Amino acid sequence: MELTIGKFAKAVNTTIRTLRHYEKIGLLVPSKRNELNQKIYTGDELKKFYNIQLLKSLNLPLYEIKQRLEDPEYSFKEMLEIQEALLLDKRDKINMSLGMMTRIKALLNETGDLTNEDLMLLMNSIRLEEDQRKILNRYFSIDTIDAIIPKSKSQQIALDRLNMRLLSFFQAAIHNELTPESHEVQRELKEIIEMLPVPLEEFYNSNNNLEKQLGIIKAILPVNMTEFLGEAIRVLFNSHHEGKGE
């Protein structure tokens, strides 16, 4: 097989511009010329071109492909293992992003619309769920954590609704200059906590360090809400313990 650059580009379903770029960087350089002094692509270039495409499909950049094709001692078995790990990690991240988008779109369908700020807050909350689980793992049982940050889609939807309610209410409370100890704030906070699918005493247990629990909340929620909500929770906890005579 001996083809000029135009015919070779058509044969391998690429562009002349791509082939010239490969030649410029020394990745695929034609080794022969015809009687018209035109550069000719042979079977050797065809084989090398498909090897380049193969390595590109494994997500390798061109400069690295060039290095590996030029190094006869390079271990392609080792490269496959490394690239597999990288691609699996990328797949997990893509799946996580797609899952986040699905959950946000479900909320949008229910509420009709969300502000850019609300969308960013909710997306960050979803994105950081694994980090939240690690924080909660220091203080709560696995069953409790799975209830607070569930894995199943149906339970995640309920969690997202609750997060949306919490964010919306406390943003409005701050905007309307309500105080953390006000009746409206305390009533809403108590209702939200009671909606959590975990034993209430795990939140009210006086044997747990309250500051640690508030620290968890602060790590999860937006900065502008942590101080307000932290104080509201402190008031609610104190009221609960006083009501029990503790």
Side-chain angles (χ1 to χ4, degrees):
M1 184 195 80
E2 295 187 352
L3 298 174
T4 59
I5 188 170
K7 291 180 179 180
F8 185 78
K10 289 182 180 178
V12 297
N13 195 30
T14 190
T15 65
I16 293 176
R17 181 178 179 181
T18 296
L19 294 175
R20 284 179 173 159
H21 178 64
Y22 286 178
E23 182 180 0
K24 182 179 179 180
I25 64 176
L27 180 59
L28 183 65
V29 181
S31 59
K32 296 183 65 175
R33 290 180 179 269
N34 62 15
E35 63 277 6
L36 299 176
N37 202 35
Q38 295 172 310
K39 294 176 181 178
I40 294 297
Y41 290 79
T42 67
D44 289 339
E45 282 75 49
L46 179 64
K47 178 181 177 181
K48 191 170 185 180
F49 176 83
Y50 282 124
N51 284 339
I52 292 168
Q53 299 307 107
L54 170 64
L55 295 177
K56 279 183 66 179
S57 72
L58 297 176
N59 211 38
L60 270 68
L62 293 180
Y63 75 87
E64 195 169 340
I65 292 174
K66 182 175 183 294
Q67 292 175 348
R68 293 179 179 186
L69 290 178
E70 291 175 350
D71 182 4
E73 301 299 323
Y74 187 80
S75 170
F76 277 82
K77 180 181 178 181
E78 180 181 344
M79 179 272 294
L80 286 173
E81 291 174 352
I82 293 172
Q83 289 306 115
E84 180 184 31
L86 290 172
L87 291 170
L88 287 173
D89 181 64
K90 180 175 286 189
R91 184 185 67 182
D92 290 342
K93 290 178 180 177
I94 290 173
N95 287 338
M96 183 182 70
S97 295
L98 288 172
M100 175 181 67
M101 293 175 186
T102 299
R103 289 168 64 177
I104 292 297
K105 287 176 70 175
L107 274 181
L108 284 169
N109 289 335
E110 288 187 4
T111 62
D113 195 15
L114 294 171
T115 66
N116 287 338
E117 183 179 9
D118 286 341
L119 281 171
M120 293 297 290
L121 292 176
L122 289 167
M123 289 170 71
N124 269 319
S125 177
I126 294 171
R127 183 178 65 85
L128 296 173
E129 281 181 354
E130 285 307 311
D131 292 334
Q132 294 173 28
R133 290 180 68 89
K134 292 176 183 177
I135 294 171
L136 292 170
N137 189 50
R138 302 172 191 170
Y139 311 105
F140 297 102
S141 67
I142 294 297
D143 289 341
T144 297
I145 295 170
D146 287 340
I148 297 173
I149 306 178
K151 296 287 189 179
S152 74
K153 291 183 179 180
S154 60
Q155 290 176 315
Q156 286 173 345
I157 291 173
L159 171 66
D160 293 336
R161 291 193 190 108
L162 198 60
N163 280 337
M164 185 69 253
R165 176 175 170 178
L166 183 146
L167 290 172
S168 297
F169 177 82
F170 282 96
Q171 282 177 333
I174 294 170
H175 177 75
N176 293 326
E177 298 183 351
L178 296 177
T179 62
E181 64 272 12
S182 69
H183 174 71
E184 295 94 331
V185 170
Q186 288 297 303
R187 180 183 61 193
E188 180 69 10
L189 181 57
K190 185 177 181 181
E191 287 184 7
I192 289 174
I193 289 178
E194 288 176 348
M195 290 175 67
L196 292 172
V198 295
L200 292 179
E201 287 308 310
E202 289 215 40
F203 289 90
Y204 292 125
N205 190 344
S206 60
N207 292 325
N208 288 331
N209 186 295
L210 178 58
E211 290 302 321
K212 288 182 179 179
Q213 293 183 23
L214 294 179
I216 295 169
I217 300 297
K218 291 177 181 178
I220 294 174
L221 294 173
V223 174
N224 69 326
M225 291 175 59
T226 55
E227 185 174 340
F228 184 93
L229 184 54
E231 181 59 28
I233 291 175
R234 192 187 306 276
V235 171
L236 183 65
F237 279 22
N238 288 341
S239 174
H240 175 82
H241 294 316
E242 289 171 2
K244 294 181 65 177
E246 297 176 359

